[in-house]
Amino acid sequence: MASPVLAVILSFFIPGLGQFYTGQFLKAIALFILAVIFAGLSTVLIGIPFYLIVWIYSMYDAYTTAEGR
């Protein structure tokens, strides 16, 4: 049984880690790669809003997935 709180905490520190914890391996890899790309783009400011979107979605999705299991 996955803990929703732990899933959110994991995704807070590393986007995609909460999905990995809940067993969504492909989604975890995709979110992590997107976060890395947008973090790299944040040097030109365009990546910051996109990174925040991926980061917040990662936490939300990890919580709802863990809660449903």
Side-chain angles (χ1 to χ4, degrees):
M1 190 74 168
S3 166
V5 174
L6 181 57
V8 169
I9 291 170
L10 292 172
S11 282
F12 176 82
F13 289 109
I14 300 175
L17 193 56
Q19 284 73 16
F20 189 80
Y21 169 70
T22 59
Q24 297 177 314
F25 303 116
L26 292 177
K27 188 184 282 188
I29 293 168
L31 286 171
F32 180 75
I33 290 172
L34 283 173
V36 168
I37 290 170
F38 293 141
L41 288 175
S42 69
T43 60
V44 291
L45 297 178
I46 191 74
I48 293 172
F50 293 116
Y51 179 81
L52 290 174
I53 290 169
V54 169
W55 183 54
I56 291 168
Y57 173 76
S58 175
M59 289 187 287
Y60 168 77
D61 182 64
Y63 181 83
T64 56
T65 301
E67 190 175 53
R69 289 184 179 226

